[in-house]
Amino acid sequence: MARFLRAALLAAYLSTSVFAAQSPCGPGSACPSDSPCCSAYGQCGVGAYCLGGCDPRYSFDLKSCAPAPVCQSQDYKLTSLNDIADISTYLGDTSKTNWVASGKPVAYNNNAILLTMAPDTVGTLVSSTHYVWYGKIEATLTTSIGAGVVTAFILMSDSKDEIDYEFVGVDLNHAQTNFYSQGVTNYNNEVNISASSTNTQTHTYAIDWTTDQITWSVDGNVLRTKKRSETWNSTSNRWDFPQTPSRVQISLWPAGLPSAGKGTIDWAGGLVDWNSPDMKNGYYYAIFNEIKITCYDPPAGADVQGKKSYIYKDTKATNQSIQITDSTVILQSLYATGDNPGTQPNAAQSSNSPQTVPGVSGIGTRGDLPGGSSNAASGSNVTAGSTTSFTQGTTKSGALGKQQSLRTGGSAFAVLVAIVLVCVWL
């Protein structure tokens, strides 16, 4: 449930009014050659659609998606926004940034970033530009609070393998752990584990992912283990176990919107209160201090032909589908693709041009955006603000960046359209 709605809400955030002009992609519906890349949200496009989240199974061909940069072991101290690029500026060069963002991350006290969620938005998503193909990923964070408000730390592959931590804002003493294989929803995979006062106490949450098992731990204590041997699916004749290279993603998003289903709203603890005293400077927020990534060796028998990137050799999306190569692709413009990385902007200027960045067209068209309505891309800019004192509830103090509000026209309608589109391919 949570994964499904998060995809739908983020699709709404990244698309709004341009949905009608986009081709959907999913099982039985591959992208056409003029917009060959199938995004994480089930629409076809070029440019950023061909980078992180591009699903090779439903893209025009296996080369449409750019090769995925290999795992990089590193301890990321999230002390500023210097290493976080807006999704509309990233063309695949990982030497320039290790993270891309949609929404409004804000620098916090020189020792953390805030993921923010203001009214009329669906929050903030930050994704790694490097992928992980097995490893240990640790995130040190403090969650948001409130009915309908969800903080998340997950691994997500381009073929929809997923490993999750999700924190519902009305349950501050548990983390929900989950996993999926190729986007197939199985609610029996969800298990709650203990984590005290998640909104006022900083904890380190870890995912330790090997070819044989996944463990979830809090502050060094393993609280859940799932073995690959327990996931055999005799119907599909495969292991329903995450096994493809994945990006690290952190997010804050509203599950409690009126457009959501009753079951989802109930799961999230109710509708979001956009006038809650838990909002500071006009937004909900989660605090992320650090993400540490330790890469593991590729699985035994892996097809290793280089050391720079992961590519898919077929659409089965298993361990055997992945090849490690020396191929690298940096797009020359947002009209380029993995098939044609050198395409320049003047190659596609008609009114029917394919979408280049999920959400840039259609976001930021209302006059109440900072800077007015003329800048369509400004709604997703990464922005650092000044600081002001605040308290989170009555127990935590510090400084927040100045609110940078984001308004998306027709957001409720966009959520409904997004849910319909996601249903097509889930």
Side-chain angles (χ1 to χ4, degrees):
M1 178 189 302
R3 181 194 60 82
F4 166 77
L5 185 67
R6 182 175 65 251
L9 290 171
L10 289 173
Y13 175 53
L14 298 175
S15 350
T16 63
S17 62
V18 299
F19 266 136
Q22 293 176 275
S23 299
C25 49
S29 180
C31 290
S33 59
D34 61 350
S35 52
C37 299
C38 183
S39 79
Y41 312 114
Q43 304 101 37
C44 301
V46 297
Y49 284 76
C50 307
L51 299 172
C54 179
D55 194 329
R57 297 173 301 167
Y58 311 122
S59 294
F60 178 69
D61 59 36
L62 291 174
K63 292 184 178 181
S64 298
C65 300
V70 295
C71 190
Q72 175 178 287
S73 293
Q74 189 163 331
D75 189 352
Y76 297 97
K77 307 289 187 181
L78 303 178
T79 58
S80 73
L81 301 182
N82 292 339
D83 199 25
I84 303 175
D86 185 86
I87 188 175
S88 65
T89 66
Y90 178 66
L91 295 175
D93 188 351
T94 57
S95 70
K96 294 182 177 179
T97 188
N98 287 304
W99 303 90
V100 294
S102 301
K104 292 289 178 182
V106 175
Y108 170 57
N109 259 8
N110 297 318
N111 63 9
I113 62 169
L114 304 179
L115 305 187
T116 69
M117 186 173 74
D120 298 329
T121 77
V122 289
T124 299
L125 169 68
V126 176
S127 303
S128 65
T129 57
H130 288 268
Y131 284 62
V132 178
W133 198 23
Y134 302 107
K136 185 175 184 180
I137 304 90
E138 303 164 80
T140 301
L141 64 108
T142 306
T143 71
S144 193
I145 182 175
V149 179
V150 178
T151 307
F153 155 48
I154 73 171
L155 301 182
M156 174 72 81
S157 86
D158 293 348
S159 54
K160 307 298 186 297
D161 286 344
E162 183 173 354
I163 307 172
D164 293 354
Y165 276 100
E166 290 189 297
F167 306 86
V168 178
V170 294
D171 182 359
L172 304 176
N173 292 301
H174 294 93
Q176 294 190 2
T177 66
N178 218 330
F179 70 97
Y180 300 96
S181 174
Q182 298 192 10
V184 177
T185 301
N186 183 343
Y187 300 124
N188 295 324
N189 292 345
E190 183 181 299
V191 173
N192 283 4
I193 60 176
S194 296
S196 61
S197 304
T198 63
N199 70 310
T200 58
Q201 295 183 19
T202 301
H203 296 290
T204 296
Y205 303 90
I207 296 169
D208 197 335
W209 175 36
T210 72
T211 55
D212 297 320
Q213 67 179 25
I214 305 165
T215 64
W216 292 259
S217 64
V218 179
D219 296 330
N221 300 310
V222 175
L223 299 181
R224 182 187 180 188
T225 299
K226 185 66 179 183
K227 296 184 180 297
R228 176 177 178 270
S229 59
E230 301 168 340
T231 67
W232 179 253
N233 186 325
S234 57
T235 301
S236 59
N237 198 37
R238 66 182 303 274
W239 301 104
D240 286 344
F241 185 81
Q243 55 192 287
T244 50
S246 300
R247 291 183 296 163
V248 179
Q249 296 188 319
I250 56 177
S251 62
L252 181 65
W253 60 283
L257 293 182
S259 51
K262 182 180 183 301
T264 297
I265 295 172
D266 291 345
W267 166 80
L271 295 172
V272 178
D273 178 1
W274 295 111
N275 296 302
S276 170
D278 293 314
M279 298 174 65
K280 303 302 173 186
N281 295 328
Y283 49 68
Y284 288 98
Y285 61 93
I287 305 173
F288 282 78
N289 302 86
E290 179 181 8
I291 296 177
K292 184 177 181 180
I293 298 174
T294 304
C295 307
Y296 294 160
D297 291 337
D303 185 359
V304 180
Q305 304 294 327
K307 57 182 180 180
K308 295 181 179 179
S309 65
Y310 307 114
I311 64 171
Y312 281 72
K313 299 186 296 182
D314 58 54
T315 60
K316 295 178 181 178
T318 67
N319 276 329
Q320 290 71 38
S321 301
I322 306 303
Q323 182 180 82
I324 303 178
T325 77
D326 282 329
S327 298
T328 58
V329 170
I330 299 174
L331 306 183
Q332 296 303 301
S333 77
L334 285 175
Y335 289 96
T337 70
D339 295 299
N340 297 292
T343 302
Q344 295 298 320
N346 60 9
Q349 292 296 318
S350 73
S351 60
N352 295 321
S353 296
Q355 295 302 310
T356 62
V357 178
V360 167
S361 298
I363 281 186
T365 56
R366 282 178 46 174
D368 55 356
L369 251 175
S373 61
S374 61
N375 184 355
S378 64
S380 58
N381 284 348
V382 176
T383 307
S386 60
T387 59
T388 180
S389 61
F390 77 104
T391 59
Q392 181 180 9
T394 58
T395 57
K396 192 175 181 69
S397 62
L400 271 176
K402 184 179 180 181
Q403 177 191 10
Q404 301 291 329
S405 64
L406 168 64
R407 311 277 181 189
T408 57
S411 58
F413 173 75
V415 169
L416 292 174
V417 175
I419 290 173
V420 171
L421 285 175
V422 174
C423 282
V424 169
W425 55 265
L426 278 184

